[in-house]
Amino acid sequence: MTVLQLQGTRLEQKRISKPLVRYFLATIGIIFIVAMHYFQHNPGGSGLELSFNAAVWIPFGFVLSLGLLEICRQQIWRYSRLTLFLFGCCVLLTLPIFYPNADAEAAFNRLFTLWAGFLFFVSLQQFVFTHQQRQRLLWFILIGVLIEAVFAWYQYLWIPAKNPIGYDVIANRPYGIFQQPNVMASFLATGLVISSYLLARVPLYRGKWSWQHIILLATPVLTIPILVVLNSRTGWLGAIIGLLLMLPYLHRFAAKKTQRLWLLMIALGLCFAWNIASTEHWSPRDESVSLESPREIHFPQAYKMFTTKPLTGYGYGKFEIAYITQTALWHQQDPAHQPAGIPSLDHPHNELLYWADEGGIIPLLGLLLAAFAVLMRIRKAPNGTQLALIGLFFPIVLHTQLEYPFYHSLVHWLIFIILIFWVDNLTAKYHRRQVTYTLSIKVFALITPIIISGFMLTTLYSGWLLTKFETTRPVNIDYLIKVNNPWAWKNRFEWDLHLTQLQLGIATEKPQLITEYIQWANQKAQHWPRPALFENLILAYTAQGNTAQATQVTHEAQLLFPNIAQLSAATTTASSAK
């Protein structure tokens, strides 16, 4: 018998490399257990203006890199029908960036995050997880929720009035790291629903409880009281309806003893909430128990904007300027029935309306098709699990229709993608395609975490410098000069720079500095129409002695912001100050 020595030759059968599953999961764990809890002083806002988002992007860049490297190492791309469908939806959401009315620079961050989310979904699909590994994805989310819940307890009950994170003990709405109560509420509600879902998936061995059961049963006790005191209708609805959708799943798959104990923990959490309300003299805010909300104003306005330009929209990146000018025109035509626009509204607090207003029918169709595709996947899930899977999504999906959590918190976006993968993994048949040319993918996989990490580290450093500049008295211009990433802080950096320029020009009577501020402010107002910007522009014209132009800007500001009284007196105030 002839024995062929094939090792080291082209005839040798190719072996599949050991997958990077452990490293991939560990990096995701770092996101939820470490990175998302990073705090750094900031003036508030959304996106990279919140330090924890920049911190999360760093390990997230490595997650994307590991997913791409896995494709290169195995030379196989795993995908499902949902992958192709979501890719088409992302293309539809991207198309309006090529419209002539789009502001590509203003919309770049949103589209970059959209495609990063899709790439994260693809990366998750490249790994063949065991049951425990796949379940670990949900456990990472739950651990992140529990860490934030403990932090919220500290904020609500024990944090001193003068604290290093600037928490407002008077308002006392324990927002955790998120700096926005509703974002914290939907995060806790999602964790609460996930804990009940996992409880039905962790069996009792010989009737004995494990440490996993203890953590899952403790979750309602830790989260429900915080959800109550957060005074968030979004959180309340998300938690209640999410848990109701989970009940049939628990009834079918959890042991009777587990079900009874879970209901007991829910009741105990409500008892703790009632006890806190009694001892801390807590009561729900009027707007939380009534249906009154600013959404009654800007939802109909945003819908009317869509019906006015349903095909092309007002242009990506241009919602704020389009909203404030369009509502001002409607209000001027019919003051009795058309309310004035809400100042500084850069998002209509509804994700469907946001994309529809800016891009028209095409991105709206993309969002609806994506939702339909996920629902079809849920429909194919095993009997008794469909409602539970909808319940997992419900708190975040509800929040996207009432606010904009994906812009406040990158973690919410990542949770959303993980849940889509969870549904797809339960129901999909995966296809494999051979990948021959991997050099470009390898290069992209290697440079992605380097570029993202470098950008985010300079973002955090620049944010720290801007905060030091804004809080240091007397003003130290050196902090502003050292900012090395003005792109991430475009509005804030430009505001600090040019406002300092205006103040210096008025104080030293240098008209050139004032003129430069006026040129910048007039250009900025075309994209970023904020009341404070108009006030300072009026002040600048008045300082120049150009009262006619100051009066004209005052009139324009009163048309755009008729409900802001101080604008009507801005010219008089500026004249007095001079």
Side-chain angles (χ1 to χ4, degrees), residues 471-483:
T471 57
T472 301
R473 293 294 179 271
V475 173
N476 187 347
I477 197 68
D478 290 339
Y479 289 121
L480 206 56
I481 295 173
K482 292 178 181 178
V483 170

Side-chain angles (χ1 to χ4, degrees), residues 64-82:
L64 300 180
S65 176
L66 289 170
L68 293 173
L69 285 176
E70 185 66 12
I71 296 176
C72 298
R73 293 174 76 251
Q74 309 298 349
Q75 294 189 346
I76 293 173
W77 172 44
R78 298 178 75 244
Y79 66 96
S80 64
R81 288 184 179 179
L82 185 61

Side-chain angles (χ1 to χ4, degrees), residues 138-212:
L138 298 185
W139 273 102
F140 286 147
I141 299 172
L142 183 60
I143 292 171
V145 169
L146 294 176
I147 293 173
E148 284 302 310
V150 172
F151 186 35
W153 277 96
Y154 171 70
Q155 287 177 326
Y156 189 73
L157 295 177
W158 301 295
I159 196 168
K162 294 183 179 180
N163 55 83
I165 65 172
Y167 178 76
D168 186 356
V169 296
I170 304 300
N172 207 13
R173 300 181 73 188
Y175 48 63
I177 198 64
F178 296 106
Q179 300 180 214
Q180 212 282 342
N182 290 334
V183 179
M184 177 65 165
S186 64
F187 184 66
L188 293 181
T190 300
L192 179 60
V193 174
I194 286 176
S195 70
S196 61
Y197 180 78
L198 286 173
L199 193 61
R201 298 178 64 87
V202 179
L204 287 172
Y205 291 104
R206 298 179 180 179
K208 295 181 180 180
W209 301 100
S210 67
W211 62 268
Q212 294 175 316

